[in-house]
Amino acid sequence: MTLDRPDLARRLTVVPQPRRMPGVLSVDEVTLLLGAATAPKYKAAFATAYGAGLRVSEVVALKVGDIDSERMLLRVERGKGRKSLPSRKRGSSRDVVATAARTARPWWREGRRRSLLLPGGWLFPGRNPVEPLSARQLCRAVRAAAQAAGIKKRVSPHTLRHSFATHLLEQDVDIRVIQTLLGHAKLDTTALYTRVANTTIRAVTSPLDRLAPLIDGRPRPGT
């Protein structure tokens, strides 16, 4: 397209890359990570990433006005591809967001006391309250908390998003609901989490189990 040479494009070969399995924390490891956060702001950011399944770019772009605590509605205006994603929280998802809000209260009080949370400003401001917390700063904070908590896995803010989706699957939440909460355009992307949902895998009945009574009751050849 750039060189106006369609004959070169015909020679290109697409080499598919295998998709890596997402890293997931257990519920106990998430608890340890939250407890090892070095500051209320980071603890609240971790809880939001896990409790709402947000991307790191969505967490740092949140503003105070994006959270409606009365309606339990979290509106992500700056999702992947700058798509607006309204995420209604019902059932267990509502409880998850309520828990994240309670965890954020210490940071809310401290941020207001220190004049760090400006009216209409960022929910997680950086060192300069006018600027948001950077994705790199949040990644460093997550790695430091994981190391302090003794978690040997490789942990990033996106690990909390993976854990959110996997834990919902293990709670038998419909995969299409999870797709909506994560903001995935394709169901295939969400279905990747079924590979790491342990309880979902254990709940699958093998076809051999259905044949077991017939096999056990069948007379052996020659008897």
Side-chain angles (χ1 to χ4, degrees), residues 179-196:
Q179 177 191 5
T180 301
L181 296 178
L182 293 176
H184 286 163
K186 297 181 179 180
L187 185 62
D188 292 347
T189 306
T190 313
L192 181 65
Y193 295 105
T194 60
R195 303 183 187 179
V196 292

Side-chain angles (χ1 to χ4, degrees), residues 60-73:
V60 298
L62 282 174
K63 291 190 174 182
V64 176
D66 290 335
I67 298 179
D68 187 340
S69 58
E70 294 183 0
R71 300 169 59 199
M72 298 308 293
L73 184 74

Side-chain angles (χ1 to χ4, degrees), residues 51-85:
L54 299 185
R55 302 176 179 91
V56 60
S57 59
E58 295 168 344
V59 173
V60 298
L62 282 174
K63 291 190 174 182
V64 176
D66 290 335
I67 298 179
D68 187 340
S69 58
E70 294 183 0
R71 300 169 59 199
M72 298 308 293
L73 184 74
L74 175 65
R75 188 169 186 86
V76 181
E77 299 283 0
R78 293 154 293 277
K80 190 175 182 180
R82 303 190 66 82
K83 295 177 292 186
S84 178
L85 171 65

Side-chain angles (χ1 to χ4, degrees), residues 47-223:
T48 303
Y50 172 70
L54 299 185
R55 302 176 179 91
V56 60
S57 59
E58 295 168 344
V59 173
V60 298
L62 282 174
K63 291 190 174 182
V64 176
D66 290 335
I67 298 179
D68 187 340
S69 58
E70 294 183 0
R71 300 169 59 199
M72 298 308 293
L73 184 74
L74 175 65
R75 188 169 186 86
V76 181
E77 299 283 0
R78 293 154 293 277
K80 190 175 182 180
R82 303 190 66 82
K83 295 177 292 186
S84 178
L85 171 65
S87 302
R88 291 190 179 275
K89 308 300 180 182
R90 294 184 290 266
S92 62
S93 297
R94 176 188 293 268
D95 296 336
V96 167
V97 174
T99 302
R102 288 195 297 270
T103 308
R105 284 176 183 171
W107 159 241
W108 172 264
R109 289 194 294 265
E110 181 177 338
R112 292 287 297 273
R113 179 179 60 82
R114 297 169 55 188
S115 300
L116 298 177
L117 295 181
L118 304 179
W122 306 104
L123 181 61
F124 303 114
R127 295 177 181 177
N128 183 351
V130 179
E131 300 292 334
L133 182 71
S134 69
R136 180 174 297 181
Q137 286 176 304
L138 186 57
C139 288
R140 285 200 297 260
V142 168
R143 287 195 295 266
Q147 184 177 5
I151 300 174
K152 303 301 181 183
K153 300 176 182 177
R154 186 175 181 179
V155 182
S156 70
H158 218 65
T159 307
L160 295 172
R161 175 175 163 87
H162 294 324
S163 303
F164 164 83
T166 304
H167 295 166
L168 286 186
L169 272 176
E170 294 181 342
Q171 296 170 20
D172 296 328
V173 177
D174 187 270
I175 191 171
R176 293 193 179 274
V177 174
I178 300 174
Q179 177 191 5
T180 301
L181 296 178
L182 293 176
H184 286 163
K186 297 181 179 180
L187 185 62
D188 292 347
T189 306
T190 313
L192 181 65
Y193 295 105
T194 60
R195 303 183 187 179
V196 292
N198 293 328
T199 58
T200 302
I201 295 173
R202 287 197 297 265
V204 174
T205 301
S206 169
L208 182 62
D209 294 336
R210 300 178 183 273
L211 297 178
L214 299 177
I215 295 175
D216 295 339
R218 181 184 302 172
R220 296 181 180 180
T223 59

